[in-house]
């Protein structure tokens, strides 16, 4: 059994966001994207390259991963592939993952072209476990995991359960976001883009942007999506996102992309400012809006054997 020292979270500022009037220069992030390769996921795979490029641009614009102390790194793991390139029963796509190496944002964009849509059995827990076993995050980088799937969990490994995966993510201070087939809302508002662990919901504004509201929760989801994926993300202080809002296209998809990238950058910014504390991205954004108004008016874990 190998003992791994938990990694401290750090990195990134949301573009245009000022905390104490200065950006946190020279910070870095390690961001892993785990995406389902079933036949219905072609649209999300095509979206991924642009979303990560936008996120990277936001981070670099604030001096995050700009080369001062290193660059941001990305991992791409396609899971559920039914091709000759998959690894064991986990269904990890050899081509997509670039031989288990971290990539630059540019290389990541190219690697998304290697994703396939021939998956048959998709186990998000096994994909997370594979990432934890095969990638080593940097001790001074924020660690973020993004799981994207329109399936609930296909259990290919009974040794992996909610508590074991949560414990492994927490042991290295990894934040999880999930993009899944689930509905989010409040008592009066439905069809939210997503929401976070504090109940802050993100709602499309009809113009390609988004607004925030309180009291959001998961209303329903496909199969076991909520207990297996949504609850897991919230337990790591991450957020959950409704895949169907992205699939709606048009201004709704624009709102989804804007909210997803901005909230992810804000989560990372909070990790930079207060390593080890609970990220409150919705609260942080609201505070930033107020501050701007004032200005205008004046590896990882204990490994199982």
């Amino acid at each position: 059994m190998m003992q791994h020292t938990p990694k401290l979270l750090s990195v990134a500022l949301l573009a245009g966001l000022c905390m104490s009037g200065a950006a946190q220069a020279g910070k870095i992030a390690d961001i892993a994207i785990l995406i389902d390769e079933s036949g219905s996921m072609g649209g999300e795979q095509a979206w991924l390259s642009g979303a990560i490029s936008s996120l990277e641009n936001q981070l670099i614009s604030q001096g995050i991963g700009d080369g001062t102390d290193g660059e941001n790194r990305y991992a791409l793991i396609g899971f559920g592939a039914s091709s000759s390139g998959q690894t064991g029963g986990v269904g990890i796509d050899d081509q997509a993952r670039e031989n288990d190496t971290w990539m630059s944002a540019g290389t990541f964009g190219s690697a998304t072209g290697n994703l396939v849509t021939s998956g048959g059995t998709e186990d998000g827990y096994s994909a997370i476990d594979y990432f934890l076993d095969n990638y080593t995050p940097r001790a001074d980088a924020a660690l973020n995991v993004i799981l994207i799937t329109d399936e609930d969990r296909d259990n290919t490994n009974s040794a992996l359960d909610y508590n074991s995966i949560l414990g492994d993510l927490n042991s290295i201070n990894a934040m999880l976001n999930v993009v899944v087939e689930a509905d989010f809302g409040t008592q009066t508002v439905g069809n939210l883009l997503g929401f976070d662990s504090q109940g802050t919901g993100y709602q499309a504004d009809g113009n390609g942007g988004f607004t925030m509201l309180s009291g959001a929760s998961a209303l329903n989801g496909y199969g076991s999506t909520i207990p297996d994926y949504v609850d897991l993300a919230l337990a790591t202080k991450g957020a959950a996102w409704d895949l169907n809002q992205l699939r709606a296209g048009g201004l709704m998809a624009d709102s989804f992309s804007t909210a997803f990238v901005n909230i992810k950058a804000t989560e990372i910014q909070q990790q930079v400012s207060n390593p080890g504390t609970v990220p409150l991205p919705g609260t942080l954004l609201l505070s930033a809006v107020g501050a701007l108004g004032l200005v205008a008016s004046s590896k990882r874990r204990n490994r199982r054997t």
Side-chain angles (χ1 to χ4, degrees):
M1 178 178 294
M2 292 177 61
Q3 179 74 28
H4 294 272
T5 302
K7 313 295 183 182
L8 291 177
L9 298 174
S10 65
V11 87
L13 285 171
L14 173 62
L17 219 64
C18 292
M19 297 298 293
S20 302
Q24 300 290 325
K27 302 300 182 181
I28 51 176
D30 287 338
I31 302 170
I33 293 84
L34 286 52
I35 187 165
D36 175 352
E37 291 191 301
S38 60
S40 56
M41 292 293 292
E44 289 69 42
Q45 293 177 6
W47 165 81
L48 193 54
S49 177
I52 294 303
S53 177
S54 179
L55 175 61
E56 176 73 355
N57 287 339
Q58 285 203 29
L59 299 181
I60 289 180
S61 73
Q62 295 297 321
I64 308 305
D66 65 353
T68 303
D69 286 341
E71 298 180 347
N72 300 321
R73 302 189 310 181
Y74 296 85
L76 176 63
I77 296 175
F79 65 94
S82 298
S83 65
S84 60
Q86 74 179 40
T87 300
V90 179
I92 300 300
D93 188 336
D94 291 341
Q95 289 183 310
R97 64 188 170 86
E98 296 288 315
N99 297 317
D100 297 329
T101 59
W102 292 97
M103 296 175 272
S104 67
T107 302
F108 177 93
S110 298
T112 60
N114 294 328
L115 292 166
V116 300
T117 54
S118 57
T121 301
E122 298 82 32
D123 185 351
Y125 280 17
S126 287
I128 294 172
D129 186 64
Y130 183 90
F131 165 72
L132 295 171
D133 278 340
N134 290 278
Y135 288 79
T136 302
R138 292 169 292 186
D140 57 347
L143 179 58
N144 292 263
V145 179
I146 301 168
L147 177 72
I148 306 173
T149 179
D150 63 355
E151 304 276 353
D152 59 354
R153 184 192 176 195
D154 293 330
N155 191 339
T156 64
N157 184 350
S158 60
L160 303 176
D161 59 20
Y162 176 94
N163 290 326
S164 66
I165 291 294
L166 177 59
D168 292 338
L169 291 170
N170 284 341
S171 74
I172 53 172
N173 291 329
M175 177 188 289
L176 175 68
N177 271 222
V178 295
V179 182
V180 292
E181 190 167 344
D183 298 326
F184 311 126
T186 68
Q187 290 184 345
T188 57
V189 178
N191 296 319
L192 295 182
L193 304 167
F195 80 110
D196 68 15
S197 62
Q198 304 302 307
T200 301
Y202 311 112
Q203 182 181 30
D205 64 3
N207 296 304
F210 70 100
T211 58
M212 292 178 292
L213 67 169
S214 60
S217 64
L219 303 179
N220 57 75
Y222 176 76
S224 62
T225 293
I226 291 176
D228 282 341
Y229 293 147
V230 174
D231 290 350
L232 183 66
L234 300 180
T236 69
K237 311 306 178 185
W241 302 88
D242 182 1
L243 195 71
N244 289 317
Q245 305 307 318
L246 175 60
R247 288 179 170 176
L251 289 174
M252 183 64 76
D254 291 343
S255 291
F256 181 96
S257 296
T258 299
F260 179 82
V261 170
N262 286 358
I263 297 305
K264 173 47 64 181
T266 307
E267 289 171 342
I268 296 172
Q269 184 271 338
Q270 177 74 350
Q271 294 169 341
V272 169
S273 301
N274 301 288
T277 62
V278 175
L280 302 174
T283 302
L284 188 59
L285 274 175
L286 289 171
S287 298
V289 170
L292 289 174
L294 290 173
V295 170
S297 63
S298 56
K299 154 175 159 228
R300 4 163 301 192
R301 61 188 173 131
N302 289 338
R303 185 176 182 180
R304 289 180 298 277
T305 56

Short mmCIF file of all heavy atoms in Angstrom, two decimals, residues 190-237:
data_model
loop_
_atom_site.label_atom_id
_atom_site.label_comp_id
_atom_site.label_asym_id
_atom_site.label_seq_id
_atom_site.Cartn_x
_atom_site.Cartn_y
_atom_site.Cartn_z
N GLY A 190 -37.62 26.19 -12.65
CA GLY A 190 -37.03 24.95 -13.13
C GLY A 190 -36.05 25.17 -14.26
O GLY A 190 -35.75 26.30 -14.64
N ASN A 191 -35.54 24.08 -14.80
CA ASN A 191 -34.64 24.11 -15.96
C ASN A 191 -33.41 24.99 -15.75
O ASN A 191 -33.01 25.73 -16.64
CB ASN A 191 -35.40 24.58 -17.21
CG ASN A 191 -36.50 23.62 -17.60
OD1 ASN A 191 -36.33 22.41 -17.55
ND2 ASN A 191 -37.64 24.17 -17.99
N LEU A 192 -32.82 24.91 -14.56
CA LEU A 192 -31.59 25.65 -14.31
C LEU A 192 -30.44 25.01 -15.07
O LEU A 192 -30.43 23.81 -15.35
CB LEU A 192 -31.27 25.68 -12.82
CG LEU A 192 -32.25 26.42 -11.92
CD1 LEU A 192 -31.78 26.39 -10.48
CD2 LEU A 192 -32.46 27.85 -12.39
N LEU A 193 -29.44 25.84 -15.39
CA LEU A 193 -28.24 25.34 -16.06
C LEU A 193 -27.46 24.42 -15.13
O LEU A 193 -26.89 23.41 -15.56
CB LEU A 193 -27.35 26.51 -16.49
CG LEU A 193 -28.01 27.56 -17.39
CD1 LEU A 193 -27.12 28.80 -17.47
CD2 LEU A 193 -28.26 26.98 -18.79
N GLY A 194 -27.42 24.78 -13.86
CA GLY A 194 -26.68 24.01 -12.88
C GLY A 194 -26.83 24.64 -11.51
O GLY A 194 -27.51 25.66 -11.35
N PHE A 195 -26.19 24.05 -10.52
CA PHE A 195 -26.19 24.62 -9.18
C PHE A 195 -25.01 24.08 -8.39
O PHE A 195 -24.39 23.08 -8.78
CB PHE A 195 -27.51 24.33 -8.46
CG PHE A 195 -27.63 22.95 -7.87
CD1 PHE A 195 -27.62 22.76 -6.50
CD2 PHE A 195 -27.77 21.83 -8.69
CE1 PHE A 195 -27.75 21.48 -5.95
CE2 PHE A 195 -27.90 20.56 -8.16
CZ PHE A 195 -27.89 20.38 -6.78
N ASP A 196 -24.68 24.77 -7.28
CA ASP A 196 -23.51 24.37 -6.51
C ASP A 196 -23.90 23.85 -5.13
O ASP A 196 -25.08 23.74 -4.80
CB ASP A 196 -22.50 25.51 -6.41
CG ASP A 196 -22.99 26.69 -5.57
OD1 ASP A 196 -23.99 26.54 -4.82
OD2 ASP A 196 -22.38 27.77 -5.64
N SER A 197 -22.90 23.53 -4.34
CA SER A 197 -23.13 22.89 -3.04
C SER A 197 -23.79 23.81 -2.03
O SER A 197 -24.28 23.35 -1.00
CB SER A 197 -21.80 22.37 -2.47
OG SER A 197 -20.90 23.44 -2.24
N GLN A 198 -23.80 25.12 -2.29
CA GLN A 198 -24.45 26.07 -1.42
C GLN A 198 -25.88 26.37 -1.84
O GLN A 198 -26.54 27.23 -1.26
CB GLN A 198 -23.64 27.38 -1.38
CG GLN A 198 -22.20 27.19 -0.96
CD GLN A 198 -22.07 26.54 0.40
OE1 GLN A 198 -22.65 27.02 1.37
NE2 GLN A 198 -21.30 25.46 0.48
N GLY A 199 -26.35 25.67 -2.89
CA GLY A 199 -27.70 25.90 -3.38
C GLY A 199 -27.83 27.09 -4.29
O GLY A 199 -28.95 27.53 -4.60
N THR A 200 -26.72 27.63 -4.75
CA THR A 200 -26.76 28.72 -5.73
C THR A 200 -27.03 28.14 -7.10
O THR A 200 -26.27 27.30 -7.58
CB THR A 200 -25.43 29.50 -5.74
OG1 THR A 200 -25.18 30.03 -4.44
CG2 THR A 200 -25.49 30.64 -6.75
N GLY A 201 -28.12 28.58 -7.72
CA GLY A 201 -28.48 28.08 -9.04
C GLY A 201 -28.09 29.05 -10.13
O GLY A 201 -27.99 30.27 -9.90
N TYR A 202 -27.86 28.53 -11.33
CA TYR A 202 -27.47 29.33 -12.48
C TYR A 202 -28.56 29.20 -13.53
O TYR A 202 -28.86 28.10 -14.00
CB TYR A 202 -26.11 28.87 -13.00
CG TYR A 202 -25.09 28.75 -11.87
CD1 TYR A 202 -24.60 27.50 -11.49
CD2 TYR A 202 -24.69 29.86 -11.16
CE1 TYR A 202 -23.70 27.39 -10.44
CE2 TYR A 202 -23.81 29.76 -10.10
CZ TYR A 202 -23.30 28.52 -9.75
OH TYR A 202 -22.44 28.42 -8.70
N GLN A 203 -29.15 30.34 -13.90
CA GLN A 203 -30.30 30.37 -14.78
C GLN A 203 -29.98 31.14 -16.05
O GLN A 203 -29.38 32.23 -16.00
CB GLN A 203 -31.49 31.02 -14.07
CG GLN A 203 -32.77 31.07 -14.89
CD GLN A 203 -33.90 31.75 -14.14
OE1 GLN A 203 -33.67 32.63 -13.31
NE2 GLN A 203 -35.12 31.33 -14.43
N ALA A 204 -30.34 30.60 -17.21
CA ALA A 204 -30.14 31.30 -18.47
C ALA A 204 -30.93 32.61 -18.47
O ALA A 204 -32.07 32.66 -17.98
CB ALA A 204 -30.58 30.42 -19.64
N ASP A 205 -30.33 33.68 -19.02
CA ASP A 205 -31.00 34.98 -19.01
C ASP A 205 -31.68 35.33 -20.33
O ASP A 205 -32.22 36.42 -20.50
CB ASP A 205 -30.01 36.09 -18.65
CG ASP A 205 -28.89 36.27 -19.67
OD1 ASP A 205 -28.90 35.57 -20.71
OD2 ASP A 205 -28.00 37.11 -19.43
N GLY A 206 -31.66 34.40 -21.28
CA GLY A 206 -32.30 34.63 -22.57
C GLY A 206 -31.44 35.36 -23.57
O GLY A 206 -31.84 35.55 -24.73
N ASN A 207 -30.25 35.77 -23.16
CA ASN A 207 -29.35 36.52 -24.03
C ASN A 207 -27.97 35.87 -24.16
O ASN A 207 -27.02 36.51 -24.58
CB ASN A 207 -29.19 37.95 -23.52
CG ASN A 207 -30.49 38.73 -23.55
OD1 ASN A 207 -31.13 38.85 -24.58
ND2 ASN A 207 -30.89 39.25 -22.39
N GLY A 208 -27.88 34.62 -23.78
CA GLY A 208 -26.60 33.93 -23.84
C GLY A 208 -25.77 34.05 -22.58
O GLY A 208 -24.66 33.52 -22.52
N GLY A 209 -26.29 34.72 -21.57
CA GLY A 209 -25.61 34.85 -20.30
C GLY A 209 -26.37 34.10 -19.22
O GLY A 209 -27.19 33.24 -19.50
N PHE A 210 -26.14 34.46 -17.96
CA PHE A 210 -26.82 33.76 -16.88
C PHE A 210 -26.98 34.67 -15.67
O PHE A 210 -26.27 35.67 -15.52
CB PHE A 210 -26.07 32.49 -16.49
CG PHE A 210 -24.75 32.73 -15.79
CD1 PHE A 210 -24.64 32.63 -14.40
CD2 PHE A 210 -23.60 33.04 -16.51
CE1 PHE A 210 -23.43 32.85 -13.76
CE2 PHE A 210 -22.38 33.25 -15.88
CZ PHE A 210 -22.30 33.16 -14.50
N THR A 211 -27.94 34.32 -14.85
CA THR A 211 -28.15 34.99 -13.57
C THR A 211 -28.08 33.94 -12.47
O THR A 211 -28.08 32.73 -12.75
CB THR A 211 -29.51 35.70 -13.52
OG1 THR A 211 -30.56 34.73 -13.75
CG2 THR A 211 -29.60 36.78 -14.59
N MET A 212 -28.04 34.39 -11.23
CA MET A 212 -27.94 33.48 -10.10
C MET A 212 -29.11 33.65 -9.16
O MET A 212 -29.66 34.74 -9.02
CB MET A 212 -26.62 33.69 -9.37
CG MET A 212 -25.41 33.27 -10.19
SD MET A 212 -23.86 33.60 -9.33
CE MET A 212 -23.85 35.38 -9.34
N LEU A 213 -29.50 32.57 -8.52
CA LEU A 213 -30.57 32.59 -7.53
C LEU A 213 -30.28 31.55 -6.47
O LEU A 213 -29.45 30.66 -6.67
CB LEU A 213 -31.92 32.34 -8.20
CG LEU A 213 -32.23 30.97 -8.82
CD1 LEU A 213 -33.70 30.89 -9.17
CD2 LEU A 213 -31.40 30.70 -10.07
N SER A 214 -30.94 31.67 -5.35
CA SER A 214 -30.67 30.77 -4.22
C SER A 214 -31.74 29.69 -4.12
O SER A 214 -32.78 29.75 -4.78
CB SER A 214 -30.62 31.57 -2.91
OG SER A 214 -31.86 32.23 -2.69
N GLY A 215 -31.47 28.71 -3.28
CA GLY A 215 -32.45 27.66 -3.00
C GLY A 215 -32.54 26.58 -4.06
O GLY A 215 -33.56 25.89 -4.15
N ALA A 216 -31.48 26.40 -4.86
CA ALA A 216 -31.51 25.40 -5.93
C ALA A 216 -31.16 24.02 -5.40
O ALA A 216 -30.41 23.86 -4.43
CB ALA A 216 -30.55 25.79 -7.05
N SER A 217 -31.70 23.01 -6.07
CA SER A 217 -31.42 21.62 -5.71
C SER A 217 -31.66 20.74 -6.93
O SER A 217 -32.15 21.21 -7.97
CB SER A 217 -32.30 21.16 -4.55
OG SER A 217 -33.67 21.16 -4.93
N ALA A 218 -31.32 19.46 -6.80
CA ALA A 218 -31.58 18.50 -7.86
C ALA A 218 -33.02 18.03 -7.74
O ALA A 218 -33.46 17.59 -6.68
CB ALA A 218 -30.62 17.33 -7.75
N LEU A 219 -33.77 18.11 -8.84
CA LEU A 219 -35.18 17.72 -8.83
C LEU A 219 -35.37 16.28 -9.24
O LEU A 219 -36.10 15.53 -8.60
CB LEU A 219 -35.97 18.65 -9.76
CG LEU A 219 -35.88 20.15 -9.44
CD1 LEU A 219 -36.69 20.95 -10.44
CD2 LEU A 219 -36.33 20.44 -8.01
N ASN A 220 -34.75 15.87 -10.31
CA ASN A 220 -34.78 14.47 -10.73
C ASN A 220 -33.67 14.23 -11.72
O ASN A 220 -33.09 15.17 -12.26
CB ASN A 220 -36.15 14.10 -11.34
CG ASN A 220 -36.51 14.98 -12.52
OD1 ASN A 220 -35.97 14.83 -13.61
ND2 ASN A 220 -37.43 15.91 -12.31
N GLY A 221 -33.36 12.95 -11.94
CA GLY A 221 -32.27 12.61 -12.85
C GLY A 221 -32.44 11.22 -13.42
O GLY A 221 -33.25 10.43 -12.91
N TYR A 222 -31.67 10.94 -14.43
CA TYR A 222 -31.74 9.64 -15.09
C TYR A 222 -31.17 8.56 -14.18
O TYR A 222 -30.03 8.65 -13.72
CB TYR A 222 -30.96 9.69 -16.41
CG TYR A 222 -30.89 8.36 -17.13
CD1 TYR A 222 -31.99 7.87 -17.82
CD2 TYR A 222 -29.73 7.59 -17.09
CE1 TYR A 222 -31.93 6.65 -18.47
CE2 TYR A 222 -29.66 6.37 -17.74
CZ TYR A 222 -30.77 5.91 -18.43
OH TYR A 222 -30.71 4.69 -19.07
N GLY A 223 -31.97 7.54 -13.89
CA GLY A 223 -31.49 6.41 -13.09
C GLY A 223 -30.91 6.86 -11.76
O GLY A 223 -31.54 7.59 -11.00
N SER A 224 -29.69 6.42 -11.48
CA SER A 224 -29.02 6.74 -10.22
C SER A 224 -28.08 7.93 -10.35
O SER A 224 -27.17 8.10 -9.54
CB SER A 224 -28.21 5.53 -9.73
OG SER A 224 -27.20 5.18 -10.68
N THR A 225 -28.32 8.79 -11.35
CA THR A 225 -27.43 9.92 -11.61
C THR A 225 -27.27 10.84 -10.40
O THR A 225 -26.15 11.27 -10.08
CB THR A 225 -27.94 10.75 -12.81
OG1 THR A 225 -27.85 9.96 -13.99
CG2 THR A 225 -27.13 12.01 -12.99
N ILE A 226 -28.36 11.13 -9.71
CA ILE A 226 -28.26 12.07 -8.59
C ILE A 226 -27.46 11.49 -7.42
O ILE A 226 -26.47 12.11 -6.98
CB ILE A 226 -29.65 12.54 -8.14
CG1 ILE A 226 -30.27 13.42 -9.23
CG2 ILE A 226 -29.57 13.32 -6.82
CD1 ILE A 226 -31.68 13.87 -8.95
N PRO A 227 -27.79 10.31 -6.89
CA PRO A 227 -27.00 9.81 -5.77
C PRO A 227 -25.56 9.45 -6.14
O PRO A 227 -24.65 9.61 -5.32
CB PRO A 227 -27.78 8.57 -5.29
CG PRO A 227 -28.61 8.17 -6.46
CD PRO A 227 -28.96 9.44 -7.16
N ASP A 228 -25.33 8.98 -7.36
CA ASP A 228 -23.99 8.54 -7.74
C ASP A 228 -23.09 9.70 -8.18
O ASP A 228 -21.89 9.70 -7.86
CB ASP A 228 -24.05 7.52 -8.87
CG ASP A 228 -24.44 6.14 -8.38
OD1 ASP A 228 -24.31 5.88 -7.16
OD2 ASP A 228 -24.88 5.31 -9.21
N TYR A 229 -23.64 10.67 -8.89
CA TYR A 229 -22.81 11.71 -9.49
C TYR A 229 -23.07 13.10 -8.92
O TYR A 229 -22.13 13.79 -8.50
CB TYR A 229 -23.01 11.73 -11.00
CG TYR A 229 -22.51 10.50 -11.72
CD1 TYR A 229 -23.15 10.02 -12.86
CD2 TYR A 229 -21.40 9.79 -11.26
CE1 TYR A 229 -22.69 8.90 -13.54
CE2 TYR A 229 -20.94 8.66 -11.92
CZ TYR A 229 -21.58 8.21 -13.06
OH TYR A 229 -21.13 7.09 -13.72
N VAL A 230 -24.33 13.54 -8.90
CA VAL A 230 -24.62 14.89 -8.42
C VAL A 230 -24.23 15.04 -6.95
O VAL A 230 -23.52 15.99 -6.58
CB VAL A 230 -26.11 15.22 -8.62
CG1 VAL A 230 -26.45 16.58 -7.98
CG2 VAL A 230 -26.47 15.23 -10.10
N ASP A 231 -24.66 14.12 -6.11
CA ASP A 231 -24.34 14.20 -4.69
C ASP A 231 -22.84 14.13 -4.45
O ASP A 231 -22.31 14.78 -3.55
CB ASP A 231 -25.04 13.08 -3.92
CG ASP A 231 -26.54 13.27 -3.84
OD1 ASP A 231 -27.03 14.35 -4.21
OD2 ASP A 231 -27.25 12.32 -3.42
N LEU A 232 -22.14 13.35 -5.27
CA LEU A 232 -20.69 13.23 -5.13
C LEU A 232 -20.01 14.56 -5.43
O LEU A 232 -19.11 14.99 -4.71
CB LEU A 232 -20.17 12.14 -6.08
CG LEU A 232 -18.68 11.83 -6.01
CD1 LEU A 232 -18.31 11.22 -4.65
CD2 LEU A 232 -18.28 10.87 -7.14
N ALA A 233 -20.44 15.23 -6.49
CA ALA A 233 -19.85 16.52 -6.84
C ALA A 233 -20.09 17.55 -5.74
O ALA A 233 -19.18 18.28 -5.34
CB ALA A 233 -20.43 17.02 -8.16
N LEU A 234 -21.31 17.60 -5.24
CA LEU A 234 -21.63 18.57 -4.20
C LEU A 234 -20.83 18.30 -2.93
O LEU A 234 -20.43 19.24 -2.22
CB LEU A 234 -23.13 18.52 -3.88
CG LEU A 234 -24.08 18.85 -5.04
CD1 LEU A 234 -25.52 18.77 -4.57
CD2 LEU A 234 -23.77 20.21 -5.66
N ALA A 235 -20.56 17.03 -2.64
CA ALA A 235 -19.79 16.69 -1.44
C ALA A 235 -18.34 17.15 -1.53
O ALA A 235 -17.69 17.32 -0.49
CB ALA A 235 -19.84 15.18 -1.20
N THR A 236 -17.83 17.36 -2.74
CA THR A 236 -16.47 17.90 -2.91
C THR A 236 -16.49 19.42 -3.04
O THR A 236 -15.47 20.02 -3.34
CB THR A 236 -15.79 17.31 -4.15
OG1 THR A 236 -16.43 17.81 -5.34
CG2 THR A 236 -15.82 15.79 -4.14
N LYS A 237 -17.66 20.04 -2.83
CA LYS A 237 -17.89 21.48 -2.95
C LYS A 237 -17.87 21.94 -4.40
O LYS A 237 -17.67 23.13 -4.68
CB LYS A 237 -16.87 22.29 -2.12
CG LYS A 237 -16.71 21.81 -0.69
CD LYS A 237 -18.04 21.74 0.03
CE LYS A 237 -17.88 21.20 1.45
NZ LYS A 237 -19.19 21.01 2.12
#
